[in-house]
Amino acid sequence: MSLEAIDQYIQVKEYSKAVNLLSKIWPEIDIKMLHKNWKQQVDKLPEDSYMNNPIICLGLGWTLLQDGYVSLAQSYFKKSFDVYIQKRYSEHQEVSNTIPLSCKISEVYIASINKQYDGILDKIKKIFNEFDTINVQNKGILYTLQACAYWAKGDFYSAEQSLVKSREYLKDDLVFNLVDLTLIELYCEFGYFKKAELLLNLVESRVGKNNVLKITKASIELFRGKLYFYKGDLELAYEKLSLSEEYGSIFALDDWYFKMLKFKARMLISQEMFDEAYEIVAQLRMVINPSPVPEYITLSNLEDTIRLRQTKELESISNRFSKDNDAYFTAEYSNILFILTTLYSVKRNNSDGSDLDYMIETMKDLVKTCERQKRINSLVTFNLLLSICYHYKGDEFKSREYYAISEKISAQEGYKLPYMLFSKENIIENIPISKGGLVYSISNKELIEPLSKRELDILLCICEGLTNKEISNKLYLSEETIKSYNKSIFRKLEVNRRTQVIVKAKELGFIK
Protein backbone atom coordinates (compact mmCIF):
# COMPACT_ATOMS: atom_id res chain seq x y z
CA MET A 1 0.00 0.00 0.00
CA SER A 2 1.26 3.54 -0.72
CA LEU A 3 0.56 7.14 0.12
CA GLU A 4 -1.74 7.18 -2.94
CA ALA A 5 -3.86 4.45 -1.35
CA ILE A 6 -4.12 6.53 1.81
CA ASP A 7 -5.25 9.46 -0.29
CA GLN A 8 -8.05 7.34 -1.71
CA TYR A 9 -9.26 6.44 1.80
CA ILE A 10 -9.25 10.12 2.74
CA GLN A 11 -11.25 11.07 -0.35
CA VAL A 12 -14.05 8.65 0.57
CA LYS A 13 -13.77 9.73 4.24
CA GLU A 14 -12.70 6.32 5.52
CA TYR A 15 -10.47 8.03 8.04
CA SER A 16 -9.91 5.07 10.36
CA LYS A 17 -8.47 3.00 7.49
CA ALA A 18 -6.25 5.92 6.46
CA VAL A 19 -5.01 6.32 10.06
CA ASN A 20 -4.29 2.60 10.39
CA LEU A 21 -2.33 2.59 7.13
CA LEU A 22 -0.41 5.75 8.02
CA SER A 23 0.45 4.14 11.35
CA LYS A 24 1.55 0.93 9.66
CA ILE A 25 3.91 2.58 7.14
CA TRP A 26 5.46 5.04 9.64
CA PRO A 27 8.58 2.89 10.43
CA GLU A 28 9.50 2.70 6.74
CA ILE A 29 8.73 6.40 6.27
CA ASP A 30 11.05 7.20 9.18
CA ILE A 31 13.91 5.10 7.79
CA LYS A 32 13.65 6.69 4.33
CA MET A 33 13.13 10.19 5.78
CA LEU A 34 9.93 10.82 3.83
CA HIS A 35 8.46 12.67 6.81
CA LYS A 36 7.07 15.64 4.88
CA ASN A 37 5.14 13.47 2.39
CA TRP A 38 3.72 11.43 5.25
CA LYS A 39 2.69 14.54 7.23
CA GLN A 40 0.94 16.01 4.18
CA GLN A 41 -1.43 13.04 4.27
CA VAL A 42 -1.97 13.30 8.03
CA ASP A 43 -2.81 17.00 7.63
CA LYS A 44 -5.70 16.03 5.35
CA LEU A 45 -7.35 14.12 8.20
CA PRO A 46 -9.63 15.57 10.88
CA GLU A 47 -7.56 15.96 14.04
CA ASP A 48 -9.90 13.86 16.17
CA SER A 49 -9.39 10.89 13.82
CA TYR A 50 -5.72 10.38 14.76
CA MET A 51 -5.05 12.03 18.13
CA ASN A 52 -5.80 8.74 19.87
CA ASN A 53 -3.20 6.89 17.78
CA PRO A 54 0.22 6.89 19.52
CA ILE A 55 2.17 6.06 16.33
CA ILE A 56 0.64 8.97 14.39
CA CYS A 57 1.40 11.35 17.28
CA LEU A 58 4.95 9.97 17.44
CA GLY A 59 5.43 10.48 13.70
CA LEU A 60 4.13 14.04 13.90
CA GLY A 61 6.57 14.70 16.75
CA TRP A 62 9.57 13.55 14.72
CA THR A 63 8.41 15.32 11.56
CA LEU A 64 7.94 18.62 13.37
CA LEU A 65 11.29 18.16 15.12
CA GLN A 66 13.06 17.74 11.77
CA ASP A 67 11.55 21.10 10.76
CA GLY A 68 12.75 22.73 13.98
CA TYR A 69 9.37 23.19 15.70
CA VAL A 70 10.65 21.90 19.02
CA SER A 71 7.84 22.96 21.39
CA LEU A 72 5.09 21.62 19.13
CA ALA A 73 7.05 18.39 18.60
CA GLN A 74 7.37 17.93 22.37
CA SER A 75 3.59 18.19 22.79
CA TYR A 76 3.09 15.38 20.25
CA PHE A 77 5.72 13.18 21.89
CA LYS A 78 3.95 13.67 25.22
CA LYS A 79 0.59 12.86 23.65
CA SER A 80 2.05 9.73 22.04
CA PHE A 81 3.43 8.47 25.35
CA ASP A 82 0.23 9.31 27.27
CA VAL A 83 -1.92 7.43 24.74
CA TYR A 84 0.54 4.51 24.84
CA ILE A 85 0.23 4.28 28.63
CA GLN A 86 -3.55 4.55 28.47
CA LYS A 87 -3.94 1.84 25.84
CA ARG A 88 -1.43 -0.55 27.36
CA TYR A 89 -2.28 -0.30 31.05
CA SER A 90 -5.86 1.02 31.22
CA GLU A 91 -7.36 -0.54 28.11
CA HIS A 92 -4.93 -3.51 28.02
CA GLN A 93 -4.39 -3.17 24.27
CA GLU A 94 -1.34 -4.43 22.39
CA VAL A 95 0.79 -1.37 21.61
CA SER A 96 4.25 -1.09 20.05
CA ASN A 97 7.08 -0.96 22.61
CA THR A 98 9.01 1.36 20.31
CA ILE A 99 6.98 4.34 21.57
CA PRO A 100 8.62 4.76 25.01
CA LEU A 101 12.04 4.20 23.42
CA SER A 102 11.42 6.72 20.67
CA CYS A 103 10.09 9.26 23.17
CA LYS A 104 13.26 8.83 25.29
CA ILE A 105 15.43 9.34 22.20
CA SER A 106 13.43 12.47 21.32
CA GLU A 107 14.39 13.98 24.69
CA VAL A 108 18.08 13.53 23.90
CA TYR A 109 17.59 14.85 20.35
CA ILE A 110 15.79 17.97 21.59
CA ALA A 111 18.52 18.62 24.17
CA SER A 112 21.09 18.43 21.34
CA ILE A 113 19.13 20.82 19.12
CA ASN A 114 18.97 23.25 22.04
CA LYS A 115 22.76 22.80 22.48
CA GLN A 116 22.27 21.45 26.01
CA TYR A 117 24.82 18.66 25.90
CA ASP A 118 25.43 18.23 29.64
CA GLY A 119 24.29 14.80 30.76
CA ILE A 120 23.52 13.51 27.26
CA LEU A 121 26.13 10.75 27.40
CA ASP A 122 24.64 9.44 30.64
CA LYS A 123 21.12 9.55 29.18
CA ILE A 124 22.20 7.58 26.12
CA LYS A 125 23.95 4.99 28.28
CA LYS A 126 20.79 4.67 30.37
CA ILE A 127 18.67 4.11 27.23
CA PHE A 128 20.97 1.31 26.04
CA ASN A 129 20.75 -0.31 29.49
CA GLU A 130 17.00 0.15 29.90
CA PHE A 131 15.80 -1.23 26.55
CA ASP A 132 16.69 -4.79 25.58
CA THR A 133 15.57 -4.41 21.97
CA ILE A 134 16.59 -1.34 19.98
CA ASN A 135 16.13 -1.39 16.20
CA VAL A 136 18.98 -0.43 13.87
CA GLN A 137 17.45 2.97 13.02
CA ASN A 138 17.27 4.02 16.67
CA LYS A 139 20.77 2.68 17.37
CA GLY A 140 22.08 4.80 14.52
CA ILE A 141 20.35 7.90 15.89
CA LEU A 142 21.67 7.26 19.40
CA TYR A 143 25.26 6.90 18.19
CA THR A 144 24.92 10.10 16.15
CA LEU A 145 23.66 11.98 19.23
CA GLN A 146 26.47 10.43 21.25
CA ALA A 147 28.93 11.80 18.67
CA CYS A 148 27.43 15.28 19.05
CA ALA A 149 27.88 15.11 22.84
CA TYR A 150 31.56 14.12 22.49
CA TRP A 151 31.94 16.78 19.80
CA ALA A 152 30.68 19.48 22.17
CA LYS A 153 33.37 18.40 24.66
CA GLY A 154 36.02 18.71 21.94
CA ASP A 155 36.70 14.96 22.02
CA PHE A 156 37.43 14.39 18.32
CA TYR A 157 38.39 10.71 18.51
CA SER A 158 35.29 9.63 20.46
CA ALA A 159 33.01 11.73 18.22
CA GLU A 160 34.54 10.18 15.11
CA GLN A 161 34.21 6.64 16.48
CA SER A 162 30.55 7.22 17.41
CA LEU A 163 29.73 8.45 13.90
CA VAL A 164 31.56 5.48 12.35
CA LYS A 165 29.45 3.25 14.62
CA SER A 166 26.32 5.05 13.49
CA ARG A 167 27.17 4.28 9.85
CA GLU A 168 26.97 0.55 10.67
CA TYR A 169 23.27 0.84 11.53
CA LEU A 170 21.88 3.52 9.19
CA LYS A 171 21.85 1.69 5.86
CA ASP A 172 19.30 3.73 3.89
CA ASP A 173 21.13 5.58 1.09
CA LEU A 174 19.99 9.07 2.10
CA VAL A 175 20.45 8.57 5.84
CA PHE A 176 23.89 7.02 5.24
CA ASN A 177 24.91 10.09 3.24
CA LEU A 178 23.62 12.35 6.03
CA VAL A 179 25.80 10.61 8.59
CA ASP A 180 28.80 10.96 6.28
CA LEU A 181 28.07 14.68 5.83
CA THR A 182 28.03 15.01 9.63
CA LEU A 183 31.39 13.21 9.73
CA ILE A 184 32.72 15.61 7.06
CA GLU A 185 31.57 18.55 9.19
CA LEU A 186 33.43 17.07 12.15
CA TYR A 187 36.60 16.74 10.07
CA CYS A 188 36.29 20.34 8.84
CA GLU A 189 35.78 21.79 12.33
CA PHE A 190 38.70 19.87 13.85
CA GLY A 191 41.14 20.39 10.96
CA TYR A 192 41.23 16.96 9.27
CA PHE A 193 40.89 18.30 5.74
CA LYS A 194 42.37 15.31 3.93
CA LYS A 195 39.84 12.99 5.52
CA ALA A 196 37.07 15.49 4.74
CA GLU A 197 38.03 15.68 1.06
CA LEU A 198 38.23 11.90 0.67
CA LEU A 199 34.83 11.42 2.26
CA LEU A 200 33.33 14.30 0.24
CA ASN A 201 34.47 12.61 -2.96
CA LEU A 202 32.94 9.33 -1.80
CA VAL A 203 29.62 10.97 -0.88
CA GLU A 204 29.49 12.83 -4.19
CA SER A 205 30.21 9.62 -6.12
CA ARG A 206 27.14 8.04 -4.54
CA VAL A 207 24.87 10.84 -5.71
CA GLY A 208 25.36 10.20 -9.44
CA LYS A 209 21.94 9.62 -10.96
CA ASN A 210 20.31 8.79 -7.63
CA ASN A 211 17.52 11.39 -7.47
CA VAL A 212 16.95 10.78 -3.76
CA LEU A 213 20.55 11.75 -2.95
CA LYS A 214 20.58 14.91 -5.09
CA ILE A 215 19.12 16.75 -2.12
CA THR A 216 22.63 16.53 -0.58
CA LYS A 217 24.39 18.37 -3.46
CA ALA A 218 23.97 21.84 -1.89
CA SER A 219 25.59 20.61 1.35
CA ILE A 220 28.42 18.88 -0.52
CA GLU A 221 29.39 22.11 -2.32
CA LEU A 222 29.01 24.07 0.92
CA PHE A 223 31.58 21.85 2.64
CA ARG A 224 33.93 22.15 -0.34
CA GLY A 225 33.66 25.92 0.04
CA LYS A 226 34.48 25.65 3.74
CA LEU A 227 37.59 23.59 3.00
CA TYR A 228 38.86 26.23 0.56
CA PHE A 229 38.06 28.94 3.12
CA TYR A 230 40.04 27.20 5.85
CA LYS A 231 42.94 26.78 3.44
CA GLY A 232 42.90 30.49 2.60
CA ASP A 233 41.65 30.26 -1.00
CA LEU A 234 38.79 32.76 -0.88
CA GLU A 235 38.22 32.82 -4.62
CA LEU A 236 37.45 29.10 -4.81
CA ALA A 237 35.52 29.30 -1.53
CA TYR A 238 33.18 31.91 -3.05
CA GLU A 239 32.86 29.81 -6.20
CA LYS A 240 31.72 26.76 -4.21
CA LEU A 241 29.41 28.88 -2.06
CA SER A 242 27.70 30.19 -5.19
CA LEU A 243 27.35 26.66 -6.54
CA SER A 244 25.88 25.54 -3.21
CA GLU A 245 23.31 28.35 -3.36
CA GLU A 246 22.45 27.35 -6.93
CA TYR A 247 21.73 23.75 -5.88
CA GLY A 248 20.00 24.90 -2.69
CA SER A 249 17.56 27.06 -4.65
CA ILE A 250 16.16 23.82 -6.11
CA PHE A 251 16.23 21.54 -3.06
CA ALA A 252 18.42 21.01 0.01
CA LEU A 253 18.60 19.39 3.42
CA ASP A 254 16.71 21.00 6.31
CA ASP A 255 19.83 22.42 7.97
CA TRP A 256 21.52 23.61 4.76
CA TYR A 257 20.07 27.13 4.62
CA PHE A 258 21.15 28.00 8.17
CA LYS A 259 24.66 26.62 7.65
CA MET A 260 24.98 28.32 4.27
CA LEU A 261 24.04 31.75 5.65
CA LYS A 262 26.39 31.31 8.58
CA PHE A 263 29.29 30.43 6.30
CA LYS A 264 28.47 33.38 4.05
CA ALA A 265 28.60 35.70 7.09
CA ARG A 266 32.07 34.38 8.00
CA MET A 267 33.24 34.92 4.43
CA LEU A 268 31.95 38.50 4.43
CA ILE A 269 33.61 39.22 7.78
CA SER A 270 36.93 37.89 6.45
CA GLN A 271 36.64 40.38 3.57
CA GLU A 272 35.75 43.21 5.99
CA MET A 273 32.26 43.57 4.46
CA PHE A 274 30.76 44.19 7.87
CA ASP A 275 27.43 45.80 6.94
CA GLU A 276 26.60 42.89 4.64
CA ALA A 277 27.66 40.43 7.36
CA TYR A 278 25.36 42.12 9.90
CA GLU A 279 22.45 41.73 7.48
CA ILE A 280 23.17 38.01 7.13
CA VAL A 281 23.33 37.56 10.92
CA ALA A 282 19.96 39.34 11.21
CA GLN A 283 18.56 36.85 8.67
CA LEU A 284 20.05 33.96 10.62
CA ARG A 285 18.18 34.98 13.75
CA MET A 286 14.94 34.39 11.83
CA VAL A 287 15.98 30.91 10.60
CA ILE A 288 15.31 27.70 12.52
CA ASN A 289 18.33 25.42 12.89
CA PRO A 290 17.14 21.83 13.47
CA SER A 291 20.63 20.32 13.61
CA PRO A 292 21.88 18.55 16.79
CA VAL A 293 25.49 19.26 15.77
CA PRO A 294 27.42 21.60 18.15
CA GLU A 295 28.08 25.16 17.03
CA TYR A 296 31.72 26.23 17.18
CA ILE A 297 30.73 29.80 16.34
CA THR A 298 27.37 31.07 17.61
CA LEU A 299 25.40 33.98 16.17
CA SER A 300 26.46 36.09 19.16
CA ASN A 301 30.08 35.16 18.35
CA LEU A 302 29.58 36.42 14.79
CA GLU A 303 28.18 39.73 16.03
CA ASP A 304 31.06 40.07 18.52
CA THR A 305 33.56 39.33 15.73
CA ILE A 306 32.12 42.08 13.54
CA ARG A 307 32.24 44.61 16.39
CA LEU A 308 35.79 43.59 17.28
CA ARG A 309 37.01 43.83 13.68
CA GLN A 310 35.37 47.23 13.32
CA THR A 311 36.32 48.88 16.61
CA LYS A 312 39.31 46.78 17.82
CA GLU A 313 37.63 46.55 21.21
CA LEU A 314 34.79 44.56 22.68
CA GLU A 315 33.50 45.33 26.16
CA SER A 316 30.95 42.47 26.07
CA ILE A 317 33.70 39.86 25.81
CA SER A 318 35.61 41.01 28.90
CA ASN A 319 36.20 38.46 31.67
CA ARG A 320 34.72 35.63 29.64
CA PHE A 321 37.81 33.45 29.31
CA SER A 322 36.65 29.88 29.99
CA LYS A 323 38.91 27.20 31.43
CA ASP A 324 36.17 24.55 31.55
CA ASN A 325 37.72 21.71 29.55
CA ASP A 326 34.47 19.74 29.37
CA ALA A 327 32.70 22.59 27.60
CA TYR A 328 35.79 23.94 25.95
CA PHE A 329 35.02 23.31 22.28
CA THR A 330 31.79 25.31 22.44
CA ALA A 331 33.50 28.06 24.49
CA GLU A 332 36.65 28.20 22.38
CA TYR A 333 35.70 30.92 19.92
CA SER A 334 34.63 33.24 22.75
CA ASN A 335 38.06 32.66 24.31
CA ILE A 336 39.75 33.59 21.02
CA LEU A 337 37.74 36.84 20.89
CA PHE A 338 38.80 37.58 24.48
CA ILE A 339 42.47 37.05 23.55
CA LEU A 340 42.20 39.30 20.47
CA THR A 341 40.47 42.01 22.52
CA THR A 342 43.34 41.93 25.02
CA LEU A 343 45.97 42.00 22.27
CA TYR A 344 44.34 45.03 20.64
CA SER A 345 44.37 46.76 24.03
CA VAL A 346 48.06 45.96 24.55
CA LYS A 347 48.88 47.17 21.04
CA ARG A 348 47.13 50.49 21.70
CA ASN A 349 49.05 50.78 25.00
CA ASN A 350 45.74 50.73 26.87
CA SER A 351 46.94 47.80 28.96
CA ASP A 352 50.10 47.16 30.95
CA GLY A 353 50.24 43.66 29.51
CA SER A 354 49.63 41.92 32.85
CA ASP A 355 46.74 40.00 31.24
CA LEU A 356 49.22 38.43 28.83
CA ASP A 357 50.82 36.29 31.55
CA TYR A 358 47.43 34.90 32.58
CA MET A 359 46.46 34.23 28.96
CA ILE A 360 49.77 32.55 28.15
CA GLU A 361 49.53 30.12 31.06
CA THR A 362 45.88 29.38 30.36
CA MET A 363 46.54 28.83 26.66
CA LYS A 364 49.37 26.43 27.46
CA ASP A 365 46.92 24.36 29.50
CA LEU A 366 44.38 24.49 26.69
CA VAL A 367 47.01 23.47 24.13
CA LYS A 368 47.58 20.33 26.20
CA THR A 369 43.83 19.65 26.05
CA CYS A 370 43.84 20.24 22.28
CA GLU A 371 46.75 17.83 21.89
CA ARG A 372 44.97 15.18 23.93
CA GLN A 373 41.76 15.69 21.95
CA LYS A 374 43.63 15.80 18.61
CA ARG A 375 42.17 19.16 17.52
CA ILE A 376 44.43 20.35 14.70
CA ASN A 377 42.70 23.69 13.96
CA SER A 378 42.81 24.70 17.61
CA LEU A 379 46.48 23.76 17.95
CA VAL A 380 47.37 25.96 14.97
CA THR A 381 45.38 28.90 16.31
CA PHE A 382 46.55 28.76 19.93
CA ASN A 383 50.22 28.25 19.13
CA LEU A 384 49.97 31.25 16.80
CA LEU A 385 48.28 33.30 19.53
CA LEU A 386 50.99 32.24 22.00
CA SER A 387 53.57 33.48 19.50
CA ILE A 388 51.80 36.85 19.30
CA CYS A 389 51.51 37.12 23.10
CA TYR A 390 55.23 36.45 23.57
CA HIS A 391 56.02 39.02 20.88
CA TYR A 392 54.08 41.68 22.78
CA LYS A 393 55.95 40.65 25.94
CA GLY A 394 59.21 41.22 24.09
CA ASP A 395 60.31 37.56 24.17
CA GLU A 396 61.14 37.05 20.49
CA PHE A 397 62.80 33.66 21.06
CA LYS A 398 59.56 32.22 22.47
CA SER A 399 57.57 34.05 19.82
CA ARG A 400 59.56 32.38 17.04
CA GLU A 401 59.35 29.01 18.81
CA TYR A 402 55.53 28.97 19.00
CA TYR A 403 55.17 30.41 15.50
CA ALA A 404 57.27 27.55 14.16
CA ILE A 405 55.12 25.01 16.04
CA SER A 406 51.98 26.59 14.61
CA GLU A 407 53.35 26.50 11.05
CA LYS A 408 54.46 22.89 11.38
CA ILE A 409 51.00 21.77 12.49
CA SER A 410 49.34 23.94 9.85
CA ALA A 411 51.41 22.31 7.11
CA GLN A 412 49.90 18.89 7.93
CA GLU A 413 46.48 19.86 6.54
CA GLY A 414 47.04 23.29 4.97
CA TYR A 415 45.07 25.27 7.57
CA LYS A 416 45.78 28.95 6.75
CA LEU A 417 42.73 30.82 8.05
CA PRO A 418 44.26 32.19 11.31
CA TYR A 419 47.30 33.60 9.48
CA MET A 420 45.01 35.28 6.96
CA LEU A 421 42.68 36.83 9.53
CA PHE A 422 45.32 37.94 12.03
CA SER A 423 47.47 39.37 9.25
CA LYS A 424 44.55 41.46 7.96
CA GLU A 425 43.99 42.74 11.46
CA ASN A 426 47.71 43.66 11.65
CA ILE A 427 48.17 41.70 14.86
CA ILE A 428 51.11 39.69 13.52
CA GLU A 429 52.46 42.44 11.26
CA ASN A 430 55.73 42.92 13.14
CA ILE A 431 56.53 39.51 14.61
CA PRO A 432 60.15 38.72 13.63
CA ILE A 433 59.80 35.13 12.41
CA SER A 434 62.67 33.37 10.62
CA LYS A 435 61.56 31.58 7.44
CA GLY A 436 63.43 29.48 4.88
CA GLY A 437 66.78 30.99 3.93
CA LEU A 438 65.90 34.50 5.01
CA VAL A 439 68.04 35.78 7.85
CA TYR A 440 66.61 38.49 10.10
CA SER A 441 70.04 39.50 11.16
CA ILE A 442 72.58 42.27 11.52
CA SER A 443 72.23 42.83 7.75
CA ASN A 444 68.83 44.49 8.18
CA LYS A 445 70.02 46.68 11.03
CA GLU A 446 72.93 47.90 8.93
CA LEU A 447 70.62 49.37 6.30
CA ILE A 448 70.10 53.13 6.56
CA GLU A 449 66.36 52.37 6.60
CA PRO A 450 65.77 48.75 7.78
CA LEU A 451 63.11 46.62 6.11
CA SER A 452 59.92 46.01 8.07
CA LYS A 453 58.72 42.49 8.90
CA ARG A 454 56.23 42.56 6.02
CA GLU A 455 58.90 43.86 3.62
CA LEU A 456 61.20 41.01 4.68
CA ASP A 457 58.40 38.51 4.00
CA ILE A 458 57.88 39.96 0.51
CA LEU A 459 61.65 40.05 -0.11
CA LEU A 460 61.78 36.30 0.53
CA CYS A 461 58.90 35.76 -1.91
CA ILE A 462 60.68 37.81 -4.57
CA CYS A 463 63.83 35.76 -4.01
CA GLU A 464 61.74 32.60 -4.48
CA GLY A 465 60.71 33.91 -7.90
CA LEU A 466 57.03 34.50 -7.04
CA THR A 467 54.94 36.97 -9.06
CA ASN A 468 52.99 39.78 -7.42
CA LYS A 469 49.78 37.75 -7.77
CA GLU A 470 51.41 34.69 -6.17
CA ILE A 471 52.76 36.83 -3.31
CA SER A 472 49.29 38.35 -2.91
CA ASN A 473 47.72 34.90 -2.53
CA LYS A 474 50.42 33.66 -0.18
CA LEU A 475 50.37 36.64 2.20
CA TYR A 476 46.63 37.46 1.84
CA LEU A 477 47.30 41.02 0.67
CA SER A 478 46.02 42.80 -2.43
CA GLU A 479 48.27 43.10 -5.50
CA GLU A 480 48.22 46.89 -5.11
CA THR A 481 49.54 46.52 -1.56
CA ILE A 482 52.30 44.18 -2.80
CA LYS A 483 53.31 46.71 -5.48
CA SER A 484 53.47 49.44 -2.84
CA TYR A 485 55.74 47.28 -0.65
CA ASN A 486 57.90 46.46 -3.69
CA LYS A 487 58.57 50.17 -4.27
CA SER A 488 59.60 50.58 -0.64
CA ILE A 489 61.91 47.51 -0.81
CA PHE A 490 63.51 48.72 -4.06
CA ARG A 491 64.09 52.16 -2.55
CA LYS A 492 65.61 50.83 0.69
CA LEU A 493 67.88 48.41 -1.19
CA GLU A 494 68.68 51.07 -3.81
CA VAL A 495 67.75 48.88 -6.80
CA ASN A 496 65.39 49.18 -9.78
CA ARG A 497 64.59 45.60 -10.87
CA ARG A 498 63.68 42.24 -9.27
CA THR A 499 66.89 40.59 -10.48
CA GLN A 500 68.87 43.32 -8.72
CA VAL A 501 66.81 42.71 -5.54
CA ILE A 502 67.94 39.05 -5.45
CA VAL A 503 71.58 39.97 -6.04
CA LYS A 504 71.46 42.67 -3.35
CA ALA A 505 69.75 40.31 -0.88
CA LYS A 506 72.62 37.82 -1.33
CA GLU A 507 75.25 40.54 -1.00
CA LEU A 508 73.73 41.78 2.25
CA GLY A 509 73.35 38.27 3.66
CA PHE A 510 69.53 38.20 3.72
CA ILE A 511 69.56 34.91 1.79
CA LYS A 512 72.18 32.23 1.42
Side-chain angles (χ1 to χ4, degrees), residues 302-365:
L302 286 175
E303 289 173 335
D304 284 344
T305 302
I306 296 169
R307 285 194 290 272
L308 181 59
R309 294 286 298 275
Q310 283 181 313
T311 65
K312 309 302 182 189
E313 58 186 353
L314 196 61
E315 293 297 328
S316 63
I317 209 74
S318 299
N319 302 317
R320 273 168 50 182
F321 204 105
S322 170
K323 296 178 69 174
D324 180 0
N325 286 338
D326 272 351
Y328 187 63
F329 179 79
T330 51
E332 181 170 288
Y333 195 79
S334 293
N335 287 340
I336 291 171
L337 291 177
F338 176 86
I339 294 166
L340 293 177
T341 302
T342 304
L343 289 172
Y344 283 133
S345 181
V346 171
K347 189 172 182 178
R348 290 194 309 269
N349 295 319
N350 291 344
S351 167
D352 60 7
S354 58
D355 287 339
L356 290 176
D357 292 325
Y358 168 71
M359 287 198 306
I360 285 171
E361 292 309 310
T362 303
M363 276 195 286
K364 285 180 179 179
D365 288 340

Side-chain angles (χ1 to χ4, degrees), residues 182-399:
T182 305
L183 192 51
I184 289 164
E185 188 169 359
L186 176 77
Y187 290 147
C188 287
E189 292 294 348
F190 283 77
Y192 290 84
F193 303 147
K194 292 172 186 174
K195 283 187 173 185
E197 287 183 71
L198 285 171
L199 194 52
L200 264 175
N201 293 337
L202 180 60
V203 169
E204 191 166 31
S205 70
R206 293 192 205 117
V207 176
K209 296 180 180 180
N210 188 327
N211 289 327
V212 174
L213 297 183
K214 286 184 178 178
I215 195 173
T216 63
K217 284 289 288 181
S219 295
I220 289 170
E221 296 304 330
L222 181 63
F223 284 124
R224 290 203 186 280
K226 282 188 175 184
L227 285 173
Y228 283 122
F229 179 60
Y230 293 145
K231 292 181 176 183
D233 193 330
L234 297 183
E235 186 175 341
L236 282 175
Y238 270 115
E239 184 181 308
K240 292 300 179 182
L241 177 59
S242 298
L243 191 56
S244 176
E245 289 186 86
E246 186 180 324
Y247 284 122
S249 66
I250 303 169
F251 44 42
L253 298 170
D254 292 332
D255 63 353
W256 167 80
Y257 187 61
F258 182 87
K259 290 179 179 179
M260 181 276 294
L261 285 179
K262 199 170 180 183
F263 177 52
K264 182 183 280 189
R266 291 186 67 187
M267 291 277 287
L268 291 169
I269 293 170
S270 74
Q271 294 299 288
E272 300 182 350
M273 299 171 69
F274 302 125
D275 291 340
E276 294 87 342
Y278 262 128
E279 290 178 12
I280 296 292
V281 175
Q283 280 182 255
L284 278 164
R285 292 206 174 277
M286 305 298 290
V287 178
I288 296 172
N289 176 25
S291 173
V293 171
E295 290 185 326
Y296 179 67
I297 300 177
T298 65
L299 299 187
S300 295
N301 287 155
L302 286 175
E303 289 173 335
D304 284 344
T305 302
I306 296 169
R307 285 194 290 272
L308 181 59
R309 294 286 298 275
Q310 283 181 313
T311 65
K312 309 302 182 189
E313 58 186 353
L314 196 61
E315 293 297 328
S316 63
I317 209 74
S318 299
N319 302 317
R320 273 168 50 182
F321 204 105
S322 170
K323 296 178 69 174
D324 180 0
N325 286 338
D326 272 351
Y328 187 63
F329 179 79
T330 51
E332 181 170 288
Y333 195 79
S334 293
N335 287 340
I336 291 171
L337 291 177
F338 176 86
I339 294 166
L340 293 177
T341 302
T342 304
L343 289 172
Y344 283 133
S345 181
V346 171
K347 189 172 182 178
R348 290 194 309 269
N349 295 319
N350 291 344
S351 167
D352 60 7
S354 58
D355 287 339
L356 290 176
D357 292 325
Y358 168 71
M359 287 198 306
I360 285 171
E361 292 309 310
T362 303
M363 276 195 286
K364 285 180 179 179
D365 288 340
L366 295 173
V367 163
K368 292 176 183 176
T369 301
C370 293
E371 288 172 341
R372 177 172 51 82
Q373 295 183 330
K374 305 183 186 303
R375 291 195 271 131
I376 294 175
N377 284 4
S378 302
L379 285 170
V380 172
T381 300
F382 280 111
N383 279 294
L384 178 58
L385 288 170
L386 279 167
S387 170
I388 297 168
C389 285
Y390 275 115
H391 168 67
Y392 284 134
K393 279 180 63 66
D395 189 337
E396 302 305 347
F397 178 80
K398 283 287 187 184
S399 179

Side-chain angles (χ1 to χ4, degrees), residues 25 40 68 84 108 143 156 257 275 328 354 358 363 481 507:
I25 67 172
Q40 285 172 2
Y84 163 82
V108 178
Y143 280 117
F156 167 76
Y257 187 61
D275 291 340
Y328 187 63
S354 58
Y358 168 71
M363 276 195 286
T481 301
E507 288 177 357

